[in-house]
Amino acid sequence: MGIGKLLASTEKITARVVMARAIISGALGLCAAAAYLMFPSISTNATIGVACVLSSLGSSAVERLFQKWLVK
């Protein structure tokens, strides 16, 4: 998802940006898995829903947090 977002933007594509987006996407996937671990009785559809919400809303927020953390 992060790579697709990068390709759709006018931002210059660099190895650093590609790696950062890949890390963010991976972290969001782990968050969806964590929801399953926290609530083992959660259905597959609910787990997929959590992953979808995190990927659509979470990537921008996580990206901004990483930028604030790295710019210090």
Side-chain angles (χ1 to χ4, degrees):
M1 185 185 102
I3 306 283
K5 190 174 174 183
L6 176 65
L7 292 173
S9 74
T10 57
E11 188 176 0
K12 185 177 177 183
I13 299 174
T14 64
R16 179 179 175 214
V17 172
V18 170
M19 289 300 297
R21 298 268 170 106
I23 290 168
I24 290 170
S25 294
L28 291 173
L30 286 174
C31 290
Y36 179 74
L37 292 174
M38 290 172 56
F39 306 103
S41 62
I42 194 170
S43 70
T44 302
N45 289 339
T47 305
I48 293 169
V50 169
C52 290
V53 167
L54 287 172
S55 67
S56 63
L57 298 177
S59 64
S60 296
V62 172
E63 188 173 336
R64 287 189 182 133
L65 285 172
F66 274 126
Q67 286 175 345
K68 286 181 181 180
W69 181 61
L70 292 174
V71 172
K72 284 184 180 180

Coordinates of all heavy atoms in Angstrom, one line a residue:
M1 N 0.8 -1.2 0.0 CA 0.0 0.0 0.0 C 0.9 1.3 0.0 O 0.6 2.2 -0.7 CB -0.9 0.0 1.2 CG -1.9 1.2 1.2 SD -2.8 1.2 2.7 CE -2.0 2.5 3.5
G2 N 1.9 1.2 0.8 CA 2.8 2.4 0.9 C 3.5 2.7 -0.4 O 3.6 3.8 -0.8
I3 N 3.9 1.6 -1.1 CA 4.6 1.8 -2.4 C 3.6 2.4 -3.5 O 3.9 3.3 -4.2 CB 5.1 0.5 -2.9 CG1 6.0 -0.2 -1.9 CG2 5.8 0.6 -4.3 CD1 7.4 0.4 -1.8
G4 N 2.3 1.9 -3.4 CA 1.3 2.4 -4.4 C 1.0 3.9 -4.1 O 0.8 4.7 -5.0
K5 N 1.0 4.2 -2.8 CA 0.7 5.6 -2.4 C 1.9 6.5 -2.9 O 1.6 7.6 -3.4 CB 0.6 5.7 -0.9 CG 0.1 7.0 -0.4 CD 0.0 6.8 1.1 CE -0.4 8.1 1.8 NZ -0.5 8.0 3.2
L6 N 3.1 6.0 -2.8 CA 4.3 6.7 -3.3 C 4.2 6.9 -4.8 O 4.5 8.0 -5.3 CB 5.5 6.0 -2.9 CG 6.8 6.6 -3.4 CD1 7.0 8.0 -2.8 CD2 8.0 5.7 -3.0
L7 N 3.9 5.9 -5.5 CA 3.8 6.0 -7.0 C 2.7 6.9 -7.5 O 2.9 7.5 -8.5 CB 3.6 4.6 -7.6 CG 4.8 3.6 -7.4 CD1 4.4 2.2 -7.9 CD2 6.0 4.1 -8.1
A8 N 1.7 7.0 -6.7 CA 0.6 7.9 -7.1 C 0.8 9.4 -6.7 O 0.2 10.3 -7.3 CB -0.7 7.5 -6.4
S9 N 1.8 9.6 -5.9 CA 2.1 11.0 -5.5 C 3.1 11.7 -6.4 O 3.8 11.0 -7.3 CB 2.6 11.0 -4.0 OG 3.9 10.6 -4.0
T10 N 3.3 12.9 -6.2 CA 4.4 13.7 -7.0 C 5.7 13.7 -6.2 O 6.6 14.3 -6.7 CB 3.9 15.1 -7.2 OG1 3.6 15.7 -6.0 CG2 2.6 15.1 -8.1
E11 N 5.8 13.1 -5.1 CA 7.0 13.0 -4.3 C 8.1 12.2 -5.0 O 7.8 11.3 -5.7 CB 6.6 12.3 -3.0 CG 7.7 12.4 -1.9 CD 7.3 11.7 -0.6 OE1 6.1 11.3 -0.5 OE2 8.1 11.7 0.3
K12 N 9.3 12.7 -4.9 CA 10.4 12.1 -5.5 C 10.7 10.7 -4.9 O 10.7 10.6 -3.7 CB 11.7 12.9 -5.4 CG 12.9 12.4 -6.1 CD 14.1 13.3 -6.0 CE 15.3 12.6 -6.7 NZ 16.5 13.4 -6.6
I13 N 10.8 9.7 -5.7 CA 11.0 8.3 -5.2 C 12.5 8.1 -4.9 O 13.3 8.2 -5.8 CB 10.5 7.3 -6.3 CG1 9.0 7.5 -6.5 CG2 10.8 5.9 -5.8 CD1 8.5 6.6 -7.7
T14 N 12.8 7.8 -3.7 CA 14.1 7.5 -3.2 C 14.1 6.2 -2.5 O 13.0 5.7 -2.0 CB 14.7 8.6 -2.3 OG1 13.9 8.6 -1.1 CG2 14.7 10.0 -3.0
A15 N 15.2 5.5 -2.3 CA 15.3 4.3 -1.6 C 14.8 4.4 -0.2 O 14.1 3.6 0.4 CB 16.7 3.7 -1.7
R16 N 15.2 5.6 0.4 CA 14.8 5.9 1.8 C 13.3 5.9 2.0 O 12.7 5.4 2.9 CB 15.5 7.2 2.2 CG 15.1 7.6 3.6 CD 15.8 8.8 4.0 NE 15.4 9.3 5.3 CZ 15.2 10.5 5.7 NH1 15.5 11.5 4.9 NH2 14.8 10.8 6.9
V17 N 12.6 6.6 1.0 CA 11.2 6.8 1.1 C 10.5 5.4 0.9 O 9.5 5.1 1.6 CB 10.7 7.8 0.1 CG1 9.2 7.8 0.0 CG2 11.2 9.2 0.4
V18 N 11.0 4.6 -0.1 CA 10.4 3.3 -0.4 C 10.5 2.4 0.9 O 9.6 1.7 1.3 CB 11.1 2.7 -1.6 CG1 10.7 1.2 -1.7 CG2 10.7 3.5 -2.9
M19 N 11.7 2.4 1.5 CA 11.9 1.6 2.7 C 11.0 2.0 3.8 O 10.5 1.2 4.5 CB 13.4 1.6 3.1 CG 14.3 0.8 2.1 SD 13.9 -0.9 2.0 CE 14.2 -1.5 3.6
A20 N 10.9 3.3 4.0 CA 10.1 3.8 5.1 C 8.6 3.4 4.9 O 8.0 3.0 5.9 CB 10.2 5.4 5.2
R21 N 8.1 3.5 3.7 CA 6.7 3.2 3.4 C 6.5 1.7 3.6 O 5.5 1.2 4.1 CB 6.3 3.6 2.0 CG 6.4 5.1 1.8 CD 5.0 5.7 2.1 NE 5.1 7.2 2.1 CZ 4.7 7.9 1.1 NH1 4.1 7.4 0.1 NH2 4.8 9.2 1.2
A22 N 7.5 0.9 3.2 CA 7.4 -0.6 3.4 C 7.4 -0.9 4.9 O 6.7 -1.8 5.3 CB 8.6 -1.3 2.7
I23 N 8.2 -0.3 5.7 CA 8.3 -0.5 7.1 C 6.9 -0.1 7.8 O 6.4 -0.9 8.6 CB 9.4 0.2 7.8 CG1 10.8 -0.4 7.4 CG2 9.3 0.2 9.3 CD1 12.0 0.4 7.7
I24 N 6.4 1.0 7.4 CA 5.1 1.4 7.9 C 4.0 0.4 7.6 O 3.2 0.0 8.5 CB 4.8 2.8 7.4 CG1 5.7 3.9 8.1 CG2 3.3 3.2 7.7 CD1 5.6 5.2 7.5
S25 N 4.0 0.0 6.4 CA 2.9 -1.0 6.0 C 3.1 -2.3 6.7 O 2.1 -2.9 7.2 CB 3.0 -1.3 4.5 OG 2.7 -0.1 3.7
G26 N 4.3 -2.7 6.9 CA 4.6 -3.9 7.7 C 4.1 -3.8 9.2 O 3.5 -4.7 9.8
A27 N 4.4 -2.6 9.8 CA 4.0 -2.3 11.1 C 2.5 -2.4 11.3 O 2.0 -2.9 12.3 CB 4.6 -1.0 11.6
L28 N 1.8 -1.8 10.3 CA 0.3 -1.8 10.4 C -0.2 -3.2 10.3 O -1.2 -3.6 10.9 CB -0.3 -0.9 9.3 CG 0.0 0.6 9.5 CD1 -0.4 1.3 8.3 CD2 -0.7 1.1 10.7
G29 N 0.4 -4.1 9.5 CA 0.0 -5.5 9.4 C 0.2 -6.2 10.7 O -0.6 -7.0 11.2
L30 N 1.3 -5.9 11.4 CA 1.5 -6.5 12.7 C 0.5 -6.0 13.8 O 0.1 -6.7 14.7 CB 2.9 -6.1 13.2 CG 4.1 -6.9 12.6 CD1 5.4 -6.3 13.0 CD2 4.0 -8.3 12.8
C31 N 0.0 -4.8 13.6 CA -1.0 -4.3 14.5 C -2.3 -5.0 14.4 O -3.0 -5.3 15.3 CB -1.3 -2.8 14.3 SG 0.1 -1.7 14.8
A32 N -2.6 -5.4 13.1 CA -3.8 -6.2 12.9 C -3.7 -7.6 13.5 O -4.6 -8.1 14.1 CB -4.1 -6.3 11.4
A33 N -2.5 -8.1 13.4 CA -2.2 -9.4 14.0 C -2.2 -9.3 15.5 O -2.7 -10.3 16.2 CB -0.8 -10.0 13.6
A34 N -1.8 -8.2 16.1 CA -1.9 -8.0 17.5 C -3.3 -8.0 18.0 O -3.6 -8.5 19.1 CB -1.2 -6.7 17.9
A35 N -4.2 -7.4 17.2 CA -5.6 -7.4 17.6 C -6.1 -8.9 17.7 O -6.9 -9.2 18.6 CB -6.4 -6.6 16.6
Y36 N -5.7 -9.7 16.8 CA -6.1 -11.1 16.8 C -5.5 -11.8 18.1 O -6.2 -12.6 18.7 CB -5.7 -11.9 15.6 CG -6.0 -13.3 15.6 CD1 -7.4 -13.7 15.4 CD2 -5.1 -14.3 15.8 CE1 -7.7 -15.0 15.4 CE2 -5.4 -15.6 15.8 CZ -6.8 -16.0 15.6 OH -7.1 -17.3 15.7
L37 N -4.3 -11.5 18.4 CA -3.7 -12.1 19.6 C -4.4 -11.6 20.9 O -4.5 -12.4 21.9 CB -2.2 -11.8 19.7 CG -1.4 -12.5 18.6 CD1 0.1 -12.0 18.6 CD2 -1.4 -14.0 18.7
M38 N -4.8 -10.3 20.9 CA -5.4 -9.8 22.1 C -6.8 -10.4 22.3 O -7.3 -10.5 23.4 CB -5.5 -8.3 22.0 CG -4.1 -7.6 22.2 SD -4.1 -5.8 21.9 CE -5.4 -5.2 23.0
F39 N -7.5 -10.6 21.2 CA -8.9 -11.2 21.2 C -8.9 -12.4 20.4 O -9.4 -12.4 19.2 CB -9.8 -10.1 20.7 CG -9.7 -8.8 21.4 CD1 -9.1 -7.7 20.8 CD2 -10.3 -8.6 22.6 CE1 -9.0 -6.5 21.4 CE2 -10.2 -7.4 23.3 CZ -9.6 -6.3 22.7
P40 N -8.5 -13.6 20.9 CA -8.4 -14.8 20.1 C -9.8 -15.3 19.5 O -9.8 -16.0 18.6 CB -7.8 -15.8 21.1 CG -7.5 -15.1 22.3 CD -8.0 -13.7 22.2
S41 N -10.8 -14.8 20.2 CA -12.2 -15.3 19.7 C -12.7 -14.4 18.6 O -13.8 -14.7 18.1 CB -13.2 -15.3 20.8 OG -13.3 -14.0 21.4
I42 N -11.9 -13.4 18.2 CA -12.4 -12.5 17.1 C -12.5 -13.3 15.8 O -11.7 -14.1 15.5 CB -11.4 -11.3 17.0 CG1 -12.0 -10.2 16.2 CG2 -10.1 -11.7 16.4 CD1 -11.2 -8.9 16.2
S43 N -13.5 -12.9 15.0 CA -13.7 -13.6 13.7 C -12.7 -13.2 12.7 O -12.1 -12.1 12.8 CB -15.1 -13.4 13.2 OG -15.2 -12.0 12.8
T44 N -12.6 -14.0 11.7 CA -11.6 -13.6 10.6 C -12.1 -12.3 9.9 O -11.2 -11.5 9.6 CB -11.6 -14.8 9.5 OG1 -11.2 -16.0 10.2 CG2 -10.6 -14.5 8.4
N45 N -13.4 -12.2 9.7 CA -13.9 -10.9 9.1 C -13.5 -9.7 9.9 O -13.2 -8.6 9.4 CB -15.4 -11.0 8.9 CG -15.8 -12.0 7.8 OD1 -14.9 -12.3 6.9 ND2 -17.0 -12.4 7.8
A46 N -13.6 -9.8 11.3 CA -13.3 -8.7 12.1 C -11.8 -8.4 12.0 O -11.4 -7.2 12.0 CB -13.7 -9.0 13.6
T47 N -11.0 -9.4 12.0 CA -9.5 -9.2 11.8 C -9.2 -8.5 10.5 O -8.4 -7.6 10.5 CB -8.8 -10.6 11.9 OG1 -9.1 -11.2 13.1 CG2 -7.3 -10.4 11.9
I48 N -9.9 -8.9 9.5 CA -9.7 -8.3 8.2 C -10.1 -6.8 8.2 O -9.5 -5.9 7.7 CB -10.4 -9.0 7.0 CG1 -9.7 -10.4 6.8 CG2 -10.4 -8.2 5.7 CD1 -10.5 -11.3 6.0
G49 N -11.2 -6.6 8.9 CA -11.7 -5.2 9.1 C -10.8 -4.3 9.8 O -10.5 -3.2 9.5
V50 N -10.2 -4.9 10.9 CA -9.1 -4.1 11.6 C -8.0 -3.8 10.7 O -7.5 -2.6 10.7 CB -8.7 -4.9 12.9 CG1 -7.4 -4.3 13.5 CG2 -9.8 -5.0 13.9
A51 N -7.5 -4.7 9.9 CA -6.4 -4.5 9.0 C -6.8 -3.4 8.0 O -5.9 -2.6 7.7 CB -6.0 -5.8 8.3
C52 N -8.0 -3.5 7.5 CA -8.4 -2.5 6.5 C -8.5 -1.1 7.1 O -8.0 -0.1 6.5 CB -9.8 -2.8 5.9 SG -9.8 -4.3 4.9
V53 N -9.0 -0.9 8.3 CA -9.1 0.4 9.0 C -7.7 0.9 9.2 O -7.4 2.1 9.0 CB -9.9 0.3 10.3 CG1 -9.7 1.5 11.1 CG2 -11.4 0.0 10.0
L54 N -6.8 0.0 9.7 CA -5.4 0.5 10.0 C -4.7 0.9 8.7 O -4.0 1.9 8.7 CB -4.7 -0.6 10.7 CG -5.0 -0.9 12.2 CD1 -4.3 -2.1 12.7 CD2 -4.7 0.3 13.0
S55 N -4.9 0.2 7.7 CA -4.2 0.5 6.4 C -4.7 1.8 5.8 O -4.0 2.6 5.2 CB -4.3 -0.7 5.4 OG -5.6 -0.8 5.0
S56 N -6.0 2.0 5.9 CA -6.5 3.2 5.2 C -6.4 4.5 6.1 O -6.0 5.5 5.6 CB -8.0 3.1 4.9 OG -8.8 2.9 6.1
L57 N -6.5 4.4 7.4 CA -6.4 5.5 8.3 C -5.0 5.6 9.0 O -4.6 6.7 9.2 CB -7.5 5.5 9.3 CG -8.9 5.6 8.8 CD1 -9.9 5.5 10.0 CD2 -9.2 6.9 8.1
G58 N -4.4 4.5 9.2 CA -3.3 4.4 10.0 C -2.0 4.8 9.3 O -1.1 5.3 10.0
S59 N -1.8 4.6 8.0 CA -0.5 4.8 7.4 C -0.1 6.3 7.4 O 1.0 6.6 7.7 CB -0.5 4.3 5.9 OG -1.5 5.1 5.2
S60 N -1.0 7.2 7.2 CA -0.7 8.6 7.3 C -0.3 9.0 8.7 O 0.7 9.8 8.9 CB -1.9 9.5 6.8 OG -2.1 9.2 5.5
A61 N -1.0 8.5 9.7 CA -0.7 8.9 11.1 C 0.6 8.3 11.5 O 1.4 9.0 12.1 CB -1.9 8.4 12.0
V62 N 0.8 7.0 11.2 CA 2.1 6.4 11.5 C 3.3 7.1 10.8 O 4.3 7.3 11.4 CB 2.1 4.9 11.2 CG1 3.4 4.3 11.4 CG2 1.0 4.2 12.1
E63 N 3.0 7.5 9.6 CA 4.1 8.2 8.8 C 4.4 9.5 9.5 O 5.6 9.8 9.6 CB 3.6 8.4 7.4 CG 4.7 8.9 6.5 CD 4.2 9.0 5.0 OE1 3.3 8.2 4.6 OE2 4.8 9.8 4.3
R64 N 3.4 10.2 9.9 CA 3.7 11.5 10.6 C 4.4 11.3 11.9 O 5.3 12.1 12.2 CB 2.4 12.3 10.8 CG 1.9 12.8 9.5 CD 0.7 13.7 9.7 NE 0.2 14.2 8.4 CZ -1.1 14.2 8.0 NH1 -2.0 13.8 8.9 NH2 -1.4 14.6 6.8
L65 N 4.1 10.3 12.6 CA 4.8 10.0 13.9 C 6.2 9.7 13.6 O 7.1 10.2 14.4 CB 4.1 8.8 14.6 CG 2.8 9.1 15.3 CD1 2.1 7.9 15.8 CD2 3.0 10.1 16.5
F66 N 6.5 8.8 12.6 CA 7.9 8.5 12.3 C 8.6 9.8 11.9 O 9.8 10.0 12.2 CB 7.9 7.5 11.2 CG 7.9 6.1 11.6 CD1 6.9 5.2 11.1 CD2 8.8 5.6 12.6 CE1 6.8 3.9 11.5 CE2 8.7 4.3 13.0 CZ 7.7 3.4 12.5
Q67 N 8.0 10.6 11.1 CA 8.7 11.9 10.7 C 9.0 12.7 11.8 O 10.1 13.3 11.9 CB 7.8 12.6 9.7 CG 7.7 12.0 8.3 CD 6.8 12.7 7.4 OE1 5.9 13.5 7.8 NE2 6.9 12.4 6.1
K68 N 8.1 12.9 12.8 CA 8.3 13.7 14.0 C 9.5 13.1 14.8 O 10.3 13.8 15.4 CB 7.1 13.9 14.8 CG 6.1 14.8 14.2 CD 4.9 14.9 15.1 CE 3.9 15.9 14.5 NZ 2.6 16.0 15.3
W69 N 9.4 11.8 14.9 CA 10.4 11.1 15.7 C 11.8 11.2 15.1 O 12.8 11.3 15.8 CB 10.0 9.6 15.9 CG 10.9 8.8 16.7 CD1 11.3 9.0 18.0 CD2 11.6 7.6 16.3 NE1 12.1 8.0 18.4 CE2 12.4 7.2 17.4 CE3 11.7 7.0 15.1 CZ2 13.2 6.0 17.3 CZ3 12.5 5.8 15.0 CH2 13.2 5.4 16.1
L70 N 11.9 11.1 13.8 CA 13.2 11.1 13.1 C 13.8 12.5 12.9 O 15.0 12.6 12.8 CB 13.1 10.4 11.7 CG 12.8 8.9 11.7 CD1 12.5 8.4 10.3 CD2 13.9 8.1 12.4
V71 N 12.9 13.5 12.9 CA 13.4 14.9 12.6 C 14.0 15.5 13.9 O 14.8 16.4 13.8 CB 12.2 15.7 12.1 CG1 12.6 17.2 12.0 CG2 11.8 15.2 10.7
K72 N 13.8 15.0 15.0 CA 14.3 15.5 16.3 C 15.7 15.9 16.2 O 16.6 15.6 15.7 CB 14.1 14.6 17.5 CG 12.7 14.5 17.9 CD 12.6 13.6 19.1 CE 11.1 13.6 19.6 NZ 11.0 12.7 20.8

